[in-house]
């Protein structure tokens, strides 16, 4: 592994460990009566949405650039960043049933935009 990849892996591991620590702290706070179970769910799930946004931001920078691939990665990055942020905001502020439905829809929409754009680029490349 090269140095840049090692830093990427370490950053991803640190993010994962951070979410686990956040979940443990939130669970302890619930057991001590400082927060309720819904708040624990919102905190941990909202952190997952922020993780989706972080990975969406990193995605375009993670691969070797080429003309079509660069455009696809840019669209993928933006769609995942935005869907992850929508997911996190819904889990922070919306009623839980809306957060489940809306958050899931946001992430699915981000994935659909990415896949749809990649398929359109592929179709254009085949016709060219």
């Amino acid at each position: 592994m090269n140095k840049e990849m090692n830093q990427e892996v370490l950053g991803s591991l640190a993010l994962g460990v951070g979410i686990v620590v956040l979940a443990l702290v939130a669970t302890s706070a619930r057991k001590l009566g400082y927060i309720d179970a819904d708040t624990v769910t919102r905190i941990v799930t909202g952190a997952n949405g922020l993780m989706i946004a972080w990975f969406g931001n990193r995605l375009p920078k993670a691969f070797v650039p080429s003309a079509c691939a660069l455009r696809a990665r840019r669209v993928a990055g933006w769609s995942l960043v935005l869907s992850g942020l929508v997911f996190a905001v819904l889990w922070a502020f919306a009623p839980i049933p809306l957060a489940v439905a809306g958050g899931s829809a946001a992430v699915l929409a981000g994935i659909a935009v990415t896949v749809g754009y990649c398929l359109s680029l592929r179709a254009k490349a085949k016709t060219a």
Side-chain angles (χ1 to χ4, degrees):
M1 266 194 235
N2 62 28
K3 185 178 179 178
E4 190 174 309
M5 186 177 276
N6 283 339
Q7 288 177 336
E8 183 70 27
V9 169
L10 287 176
S12 298
L13 285 173
L15 183 61
V17 168
I19 289 175
V20 170
V21 168
L22 179 66
L24 292 172
V25 168
T27 300
S28 295
R30 182 186 59 78
K31 287 180 180 176
L32 293 171
Y34 295 122
I35 58 177
D36 62 7
D38 283 351
T39 304
V40 173
T41 301
R42 288 177 182 279
I43 289 170
V44 175
T45 309
N48 289 332
L50 294 175
M51 180 182 67
I52 293 168
W54 186 78
F55 279 115
N57 183 49
R58 295 294 309 146
L59 184 70
K61 301 168 183 116
F63 299 99
V64 179
S66 75
C68 283
L70 183 59
R71 285 184 276 159
R73 286 191 295 273
R74 190 174 299 124
V75 168
W78 275 106
S79 66
L80 292 173
V81 166
L82 293 174
S83 67
L85 290 174
V86 168
F87 183 93
V89 168
L90 285 172
W91 273 97
F93 300 111
I96 289 181
L98 178 60
V100 170
S104 298
V107 172
L108 289 174
I111 293 168
V113 166
T114 301
V115 170
Y117 188 73
C118 289
L119 291 174
S120 74
L121 286 178
R122 185 177 187 171
K124 286 178 188 176
K126 283 183 179 181
T127 60

